[in-house]
Amino acid sequence: MSTINRGAFPHRHLLGIEGLSADEITMLLDLSDGYVEQNRQKDKKRSVLRGLTVINVFFETSTRTRTSFELAGKRLGADVINISPDASAIKKGETLIDTAMTLNAMHPDVLTVRHADSGAVHLLSEKVACAVINAGDGSHEHPTQALLDALTIRRRLGRLHGLTVAICGDILHSRVARSNIHLLNTMGARVRVVAPPTLLPMHIERLGVEVFNDMREGIADCDIVMMLRLQTERMQGSFVPSTREYFHFFGLDAGKLSAARPDALIMHPGPMNRGVEIDSLVADDISRSLIHEQVEMGVAVRMACLDLLTRDALANEYESEAETRQ
Amino acid sequence: MSRRVAYVNARLLDPASGLDAVGALLVEGGRIADVGPDLFRDGVPEGIERVDCEGACLAPGLVDLRVQLREPGEEHKETIDTASRAAAAGGVTAMACLPNTDPPVDDVAVVEFIARRAREVKLVKVFAYGSVTRGLRGEQLTEIGLLKEAGAVGFTDGLKAVADARVMRRALAYARGLGALIIQHPEEPSLARNGAMNEGELSMRLGLTGIPPAAEAIMLERDMRLVALTGARYHAAHVSTAEGIEVIRAAKQRGLPVTCDTAPHYFALNEQAVDGYRTFAKVSPPLRSEDDRLAVVEAIADGTIDAIASDHAPHDQESKRLPLAQAEPGIVGLETLLPLSLELYHEGRIGILDLLAKLTCRPADLLALPLGRLAKGAAADLVLFDLEKSWQIEVERLRSKSKNTLFDRRHVRGEVVRTIVDGRTVYCREA
């Protein structure tokens, strides 16, 4: 784990997958692999981040991701604090910068930030002196989700290169889809997106994906079927006519899944809308569903991210201590 | 006897008459008493103050069709005083302000308030647009006739389109009876809702809701039919897309009484300026693709676009230091209008007189104002500028109270030397 050179990961923040190289992604996944093993032992705690402070700032509520980051920080020995700025205050927006400045004054070493607006984490990262991890910003990116998905696939199939992955559902609003498309493309997988045209952003093909409007065609011969969550408020006639119609054409059930390879694996970033985008029988099929492994990988990947992004901070600390001694 | 000033050794540029010659101009009592290449050829007689222009260009002061003054209501962003100083520094001698103040200009009293404040500030001429609908709500017409009598030079709902087709039809029909000009923000609001930037590859990558170029063309297409139905004069503000320009071009060919303008950011920049979530690049309508930008340049050159306005939209830091979706749209433009427009001349896209026409006599004619000309008897509203002088735009030097420019550190050519309103120098470049 500690064989990775400082400086090999030249980014101060992790704001997105776009812009990361295949080597950098591989480095993060390799590091994560080690943490998976650690997390399966009885003693899960290390002191890699001892003395460091990690603040999880979730402007948008999320139990799952926040818990995963919190656990990751604690298992590495950091002091972890969770903040959920008041939802009514953040709607005014000014408080994003105010919050950033306030948090910065507390000398955190890492901020993990989730926000409902695309670019908000980027904006915040410009105002603070510590590393920032994007825990999901609007419809832009959710890099740790893509990394944990990649780790899950790589551990199961041994590679990413050459695989065909279909990402299905609400691509338009999905930061998970964008991060996964960037990551899988960078690692040499073939990516398809499958959705009704109203849930596909214009020009999505420019990201190097194949576009399908038919679920069976889209998942045919795929190694991985990655389902996305469709928020219920988007199914009341604004983007698709009804939940019923959506499930009929785009919900993953055994019938549609038969179009994929017999050994195709199923993923979902959670939380699932059973009966909307995915049928319970499929979601709970332990031979094909990777959904619980994804959650497990999430903690390991976030440990790797925290570890890598704080190495410079720790190294600088030692240097400045050394200088003081002289 | 009133004071007389002779501006000699100037390159006289008067787009209305086609004059482009070295000569002199005599100002007397706030008006142009004489102008021409032969004037004072044998020297300036005694008793007349002589100003040597040293070969700089002397043109009618710029008439800016579209500014937001923020007074009354948002004086922390801009006031009539600070905007007037910015205008003077930018060579703008007359400006027409949008009604999106607080309270909005939907009542005679607000028109009179703005006129009184402008008289007190006494720098450049300030004209007000009235709103088309009360409270800019898009429902009931304002007192267009009374507002016009009080001095409103045109009618628009500012940054909001008059979306309801029946309201727009009635506004056009009613305005026609009064000879009033209706100005539209050409954007179908239902397609622009929540939009933060142009819809395209970049908006997709950034995960931002885009506004398709068709939102502009759809509103313009609809309005052209309403213009045909009512026979009213119609002006489309800040046209930004190739599709929208095509609609205007076709309407003009059919002889409809339609005009349009654009703003410098639509020909000086494209949507790439938004990359990195730069909120200063958020404007309404949004910056478009490079193809659209080129179409705007072409339409300026071929005359489809009648005028260039600054679209001055001051915003404080608090309105801009936000996630892009929440940030206010707009950039300040009064002080950069001339140099950015001159880029088109320096790049060889358009002749100097044709360009200046879009900044002076054309906008003046659109608002039926007797301005924008170097003519005997006309108000002595002038700009003296050094056409070739290279300089750098520096945000900290802007006079506008808000500093939201996208053009900080841009190298430009063409600098205002002196601005004159009614014969009075209101700005002079520091030596």
Side-chain angles (χ1 to χ4, degrees), chain A residues 170 229-240 242-243 273 276-277:
Chain A
D170 185 0
R229 175 180 168 76
L230 180 62
Q231 292 187 4
T232 42
E233 64 266 24
R234 290 176 183 141
M235 288 177 292
Q236 315 304 329
S238 50
F239 290 91
V240 294
S242 70
T243 307
N273 291 311
V276 176
E277 72 255 349

Side-chain angles (χ1 to χ4, degrees), chain B residues 31 61-72 80 83-84 87 92-101 105 110-119 123-131 147-156 181 183 334 360 363-372 379 381 421-422:
Chain B
R31 300 202 157 262
L62 310 191
V63 178
D64 191 340
L65 272 180
R66 194 178 174 88
V67 302
Q68 296 175 56
L69 296 180
R70 305 282 183 239
E71 184 180 351
I80 291 172
S84 296
V92 174
T93 55
M95 55 185 177
C97 63
L98 296 188
N100 62 337
T101 46
V105 191
V110 188
V111 178
E112 287 169 351
F113 168 81
I114 291 169
R116 177 168 64 76
R117 288 288 298 120
R119 276 197 307 276
L123 283 168
V124 305
K125 291 171 181 166
V126 180
F127 300 94
Y129 291 119
S131 63
L147 286 163
K148 186 165 185 284
E149 275 189 8
V153 291
F155 295 86
T156 175
L181 176 67
I183 299 173
L334 279 165
T360 59
D365 292 350
L366 289 173
L367 302 183
L369 296 169
L371 301 173
D381 294 353
V421 176
D422 288 331

Side-chain angles (χ1 to χ4, degrees), chain A residues 179-191:
Chain A
S179 287
N180 263 307
I181 291 168
H182 291 307
L183 188 147
L184 292 165
N185 271 335
T186 304
M187 301 309 287
R190 283 188 296 273
V191 184

Side-chain angles (χ1 to χ4, degrees), chain A:
Chain A
M1 267 183 266
S2 52
T3 54
I4 294 162
N5 295 328
R6 190 186 137 219
F9 191 78
H11 306 281
R12 185 167 155 231
H13 308 299
L14 181 65
L15 299 179
I17 298 294
E18 190 174 17
L20 294 187
S21 68
D23 284 347
E24 288 160 5
I25 291 166
T26 302
M27 185 195 304
L28 276 163
L29 297 180
D30 290 348
L31 193 56
S32 304
D33 259 330
Y35 282 122
V36 174
E37 303 314 319
Q38 178 185 316
N39 287 338
R40 287 176 179 173
Q41 289 159 24
K42 196 164 187 188
D43 178 9
K44 302 173 180 64
K45 191 128 174 171
R46 294 289 181 276
S47 55
V48 179
L49 297 195
R50 206 174 129 198
L52 300 189
T53 305
V54 177
I55 307 184
N56 297 324
V57 195
F58 278 61
F59 292 92
E60 198 182 58
T61 51
S62 153
T63 310
R64 173 182 299 247
T65 307
R66 202 208 62 216
T67 307
S68 183
F69 269 111
E70 184 176 355
L71 215 46
K74 285 182 169 163
R75 284 185 181 165
L76 292 176
D79 293 315
V80 184
I81 291 164
N82 297 314
I83 299 178
S84 299
D86 177 53
S88 63
I90 59 158
K91 282 219 172 99
K92 290 181 186 160
E94 301 99 311
T95 55
L96 175 63
I97 300 287
D98 292 343
T99 308
M101 303 301 244
T102 305
L103 294 173
N104 191 50
M106 298 174 186
H107 298 291
D109 299 282
V110 183
L111 291 175
T112 66
V113 185
R114 167 166 290 193
H115 197 284
D117 280 315
S118 302
V121 182
H122 186 280
L123 177 67
L124 187 141
S125 74
E126 291 174 344
K127 310 293 174 192
V128 296
C130 64
V132 174
I133 298 178
N134 182 359
D137 66 322
S139 308
H140 178 223
E141 284 233 40
H142 190 356
T144 56
Q145 178 71 42
L147 286 163
L148 76 87
D149 288 340
L151 184 65
T152 308
I153 299 170
R154 199 178 76 164
R155 285 176 70 91
R156 180 62 79 98
L157 298 179
R159 66 193 166 103
L160 294 165
H161 191 271
L163 298 178
T164 301
V165 181
I167 305 176
C168 310
D170 185 0
I171 312 288
L172 179 65
H173 299 99
S174 179
R175 51 196 174 214
V176 175
R178 282 176 184 69
S179 287
N180 263 307
I181 291 168
H182 291 307
L183 188 147
L184 292 165
N185 271 335
T186 304
M187 301 309 287
R190 283 188 296 273
V191 184
R192 300 173 177 181
V193 292
V194 186
T198 48
L199 292 176
L200 285 167
M202 295 284 285
H203 310 294
I204 186 74
E205 70 288 347
R206 306 253 179 100
L207 293 184
V209 298
E210 268 188 283
V211 179
F212 292 85
N213 298 133
D214 181 283
M215 186 82 172
R216 285 170 184 274
E217 286 174 23
I219 65 175
D221 306 320
C222 278
D223 299 289
I224 305 282
V225 180
M226 195 180 274
M227 300 305 297
L228 297 174
R229 175 180 168 76
L230 180 62
Q231 292 187 4
T232 42
E233 64 266 24
R234 290 176 183 141
M235 288 177 292
Q236 315 304 329
S238 50
F239 290 91
V240 294
S242 70
T243 307
R244 183 172 70 168
E245 177 154 327
Y246 184 78
F247 186 74
H248 180 74
F249 289 103
F250 292 96
L252 187 65
D253 55 18
K256 296 193 197 74
L257 189 57
S258 65
R261 288 168 47 139
D263 57 350
L265 297 166
I266 298 154
M267 302 176 77
H268 192 297
M272 286 181 283
N273 291 311
R274 290 169 184 269
V276 176
E277 72 255 349
I278 191 160
D279 185 85
S280 280
L281 284 175
V282 173
D284 299 334
D285 179 349
I286 51 164
S287 66
R288 307 187 71 169
S289 169
L290 298 176
I291 293 167
H292 294 294
E293 282 172 71
Q294 286 174 274
V295 179
E296 183 192 357
M297 296 306 126
V299 179
V301 155
R302 284 161 186 137
M303 289 167 83
C305 294
L306 288 170
D307 179 358
L308 210 50
L309 287 173
T310 51
R311 285 187 187 191
D312 270 5
L314 284 168
N316 291 339
E317 187 74 12
Y318 298 142
E319 276 165 22
S320 61
E321 271 175 29
E323 279 165 25
T324 318
R325 271 186 237 110
Q326 290 167 357

